[in-house]
Amino acid sequence: MSPRAGLDTHTLVMAAADIADEQGIEAVTLAALAAKLGVRSPSLYNHINGLQGLRTLLAIYGLEQLYTRMSAAVEGVSGDIAIHAMSQAYVDFARSRPGLYETTLRAPEQENVPLELAGNLILSLMIHALKAYDLGAEGELHAIRGLRSILHGFTSLEHKGGFGMPLDANISLYRLISTFIAGIGNMKAVGKG
């Protein structure tokens, strides 16, 4: 069976990303995607490897988009400014692309090189930003775990309406990241244990 004219993998991923952002990742099904594109579900198999394949492509695309935003934010800056800029870019991405952001949280599939590479770009960017704090390789990884936890927790609470008070969430984020930065200054004293 030949692929439908005008339908390609990129078109499918973009349409699936729109569904995810509008309705959540669980709403991304082959039936929903086919309906959005005005095709029958079997037509999609010419371009993707089922629902799992589609979700993997979405995760790769989401990680690439998140990396693009974060790397643009830290261009030409370092230290505290870079950590703040990278964090704000992360949260802004989650705000503007909530479904696509959700796809970036999945655990890497073993031997899925494109997915690993996309995730490693963000990891490398964060490691580079943390070099200014002289934490050592292990310390940088602990700091990244902490920062990712802070950023994901913040975005999750905000997305679920957990910040109902009339305070500017960006100021809260700035203060939270400032506290994180102060904390990583103490990481050397804590040691490896």
Side-chain angles (χ1 to χ4, degrees):
M1 180 177 229
S2 64
R4 177 183 160 149
L7 197 61
D8 57 22
T9 304
H10 179 75
T11 301
L12 269 59
V13 170
M14 295 303 101
D18 288 344
I19 294 170
D21 287 337
E22 293 164 7
Q23 302 172 40
I25 190 63
E26 294 306 317
V28 178
T29 63
L30 296 182
L33 182 58
K36 181 173 181 68
L37 295 170
V39 300
R40 296 181 318 142
S41 294
S43 302
L44 303 177
Y45 286 93
N46 292 317
H47 308 283
I48 57 170
N49 186 16
L51 183 59
Q52 183 62 36
L54 176 62
R55 289 194 174 170
T56 297
L57 291 172
L58 270 175
I60 293 167
Y61 177 67
L63 288 166
E64 289 170 345
Q65 293 300 302
L66 178 57
Y67 170 77
T68 297
R69 297 240 190 132
M70 290 172 69
S71 63
V74 299
E75 192 171 321
V77 297
S78 62
D80 296 1
I81 295 170
I83 300 299
H84 277 288
M86 183 172 53
S87 298
Q88 187 68 56
Y90 183 104
V91 171
D92 288 344
F93 175 78
R95 287 172 176 159
S96 65
R97 303 298 309 264
L100 193 56
Y101 167 71
E102 192 176 343
T103 70
T104 69
L105 302 175
R106 60 185 287 170
E109 299 164 12
Q110 286 187 329
E111 299 182 25
N112 186 319
V113 175
L115 189 57
E116 284 183 39
L117 288 174
N120 285 341
L121 284 174
I122 294 173
L123 180 62
S124 296
L125 182 68
M126 295 179 92
I127 288 171
H128 182 72
L130 288 166
K131 288 290 183 201
Y133 301 95
D134 194 29
L135 302 173
E138 186 176 321
E140 289 165 358
L141 294 178
H142 287 300
I144 288 168
R145 283 181 176 173
L147 184 57
R148 285 189 66 212
S149 297
I150 289 167
L151 295 174
H152 176 63
F154 188 92
T155 58
S156 295
L157 286 168
E158 184 177 58
H159 182 70
K160 299 291 184 189
F163 298 150
M165 293 182 197
L167 292 171
D168 185 333
N170 287 329
I171 293 173
S172 296
L173 177 64
Y174 185 86
R175 289 180 175 193
L176 181 58
I177 298 305
S178 293
T179 303
F180 167 79
I181 291 168
I184 61 174
N186 295 322
M187 283 183 71
K188 283 185 183 177
V190 174
K192 296 179 181 179

